[in-house]
Amino acid sequence: ITLVTRDLERIFRDMGYSVERGPEVEDDFHNFQALNIPPDHPARDDTDTFYVKGELLLRTHTSPVQIRTMATQAPPIRMICPGRAYRRDEIDATHAPMFHQLEALVVDRGISMADLKGTVDALWKRVFGEDVRTRFRPGYFPFVEPGCEYDVSCRVCGGTGCRTCKGSGWIELGG
């Protein structure tokens, strides 16, 4: 994971992004309130979040790093925040209580979903090769508008369909 993270950080730096980090033990304000996640939101459920003491918890995403960055830097901002996140998930093939997350944030004038698509496409071409294809799909996230998920063409079968991609030709990489 560390080598992959360093490679991704280098690629993003080459594209003009800064790499920002923040605490893994977070306060309620930065993890929830500043992200407009009210007290009755399901993400705050004790069964989903590791509370440490009082208002302290293990961060459930790396979004608090974005909040801290916006509080200390004026736009334009182009940043990524890689790091560990924690949720009380049952362990299975796609879930674990600790996982690595990579978020990107761009705050500037004239930015659109086309910029996001171009960034995602350039990133995965650098990682997987020029022949990789990317696609965006609409996705609902209660804290993002508009929301989307993105996939890359399966690197095992080249997009023709196999067991790895469940016959679809695509592997979901993010939302």
Side-chain angles (χ1 to χ4, degrees), residues 33-123:
Q33 294 174 49
L35 295 161
N36 200 26
I37 300 175
D40 60 343
H41 193 280
R44 290 174 170 254
D45 194 319
D46 286 344
T47 62
D48 293 334
T49 305
F50 289 107
Y51 287 91
V52 178
K53 183 177 182 182
E55 297 289 306
L56 295 178
L57 56 116
L58 296 179
R59 68 181 179 194
T60 59
H61 43 234
T62 56
S63 300
V65 179
Q66 295 179 10
I67 298 302
R68 292 175 183 282
T69 301
M70 287 187 290
T72 60
Q73 296 179 25
I77 297 172
R78 285 179 178 76
M79 56 84 75
I80 63 163
C81 44
R84 289 185 287 264
Y86 305 86
R87 295 184 191 153
R88 287 188 168 183
D89 285 338
E90 293 293 323
I91 296 174
D92 64 23
T94 60
H95 296 88
M98 188 281 294
F99 57 96
H100 290 267
Q101 188 171 48
L102 174 82
E103 293 188 52
L105 174 70
V106 175
V107 179
D108 203 352
R109 296 183 188 278
I111 298 298
S112 71
M113 289 293 285
D115 296 289
L116 176 61
K117 174 74 168 112
T119 300
V120 165
D121 195 55
L123 169 68

